[in-house]
Amino acid sequence: MFSRSKKPASEADARSVLKGVRIGDISADECVEDIIVRESQVIVTLGVAPEQAASMEPLRLAAEKALLESGAFSGASVTLTHHREETPHGGETPPQRTPKTPGQRIRPDGVENIILVASGKGGVGKSTVAVNLALALNALGKRVGLLDADIHGPSIALMMGLEGKPETSDGKTILPKEKYGLRCMSIGLMTTPDTAVIWRGPMVQSALMQLLGDVEWGELDVLVIDLPPGTGDVQLTLSQQADVTGAVIVSTPQEVALLDVRRSINMFARVEVPVLGVVENMAYFVAPGSSDERRYIFGQGGARRLADEMSVAFLGEIPLMEEICAGVDSGAPALTKPDSIEAKPFLELAQKVWERVQES
């Protein structure tokens, strides 16, 4: 349909393709909420009614296939999303949710900044960094919220020592849990610990936007969102629909982790989310009883070199320490003891992140 020798592909090209994609009487073009085209890659969001999420999956697949086969784009991603009319507690949509129109992104009223904590690869300690970063920002005097966006593998409830299901003050919005000075929310608070959340993409996206929009976050200087690893539906949904200040990317020094960091940085660039910087977690190990000897178990300086190579800020190193690991496992993270040795690197990280936020 299109020749790649012609001018770069555009949103108009995508809409032209989507007009020809139909399921029954519904055209994919009629459902478009957002289209982003960057460097021949296209990301499309289709808005559907809640009860249509499952039945519209064939339309999503057909749209993605048509975009790829058009010849206009080297890559295509199509996601489904919707805005529920009711919260989990019943009632109408709360007033702090702003209806989305094309090009408009959501930020809950009272929330000044949204920071995503991301990693291209699992197992790099991203959630540990997210929790301690949020607590460190609070220690710096900021009003902070913490949202666990890992629907399938939530861990914030455990790391923060949170218990009990969330409550509501008016039957319309959800009250966040408060602990250690943070306002927290996680899907893990709504399920039992041994329950697997087996949801398809549209349901995950809907739950995520509810956790963002239907929670009474109140007045916050920053909402820290702990993303699942990778570059999938959750990352795209938030990047496209939330008014994000920037992303902090967590990695270890290993080359296998750095490969995925590159993908994360490139993804955020394509969806126009600023990368505040890269932090190297588990950068080195300090042997017990030794304050000077550092052992670089996973290699040395890999994240710093990658940050320099990709022209993004390097935010610092977090050591591999028994106290850091034990803290999140017990529900008492390192920053619950802000004067401790293990808290220091997170406080330095928080200061650098906040400086980057002020510059953005």
Side-chain angles (χ1 to χ4, degrees), residues 112-116 133 137 221-222 245-248 276 315 350-360:
E112 293 297 321
N113 297 281
I114 295 177
I115 295 176
L116 307 179
L133 171 61
L137 286 167
D221 295 306
V222 59
T245 305
V248 172
L276 300 177
L315 299 172
Q351 185 63 53
K352 291 179 180 178
V353 168
W354 190 249
E355 289 172 1
R356 295 283 293 148
V357 167
Q358 297 301 105
E359 293 169 2
S360 63

Side-chain angles (χ1 to χ4, degrees), residues 234-254:
V234 169
Q235 289 83 354
L236 288 173
T237 297
L238 279 171
S239 298
Q240 290 177 289
Q241 298 193 42
D243 186 7
V244 176
T245 305
V248 172
I249 300 179
V250 182
S251 181
T252 62
Q254 288 176 286

Side-chain angles (χ1 to χ4, degrees), residues 105-121:
R105 301 189 181 191
I106 298 169
R107 181 186 296 174
D109 284 351
V111 176
E112 293 297 321
N113 297 281
I114 295 177
I115 295 176
L116 307 179
V117 179
S119 68
K121 186 176 181 61

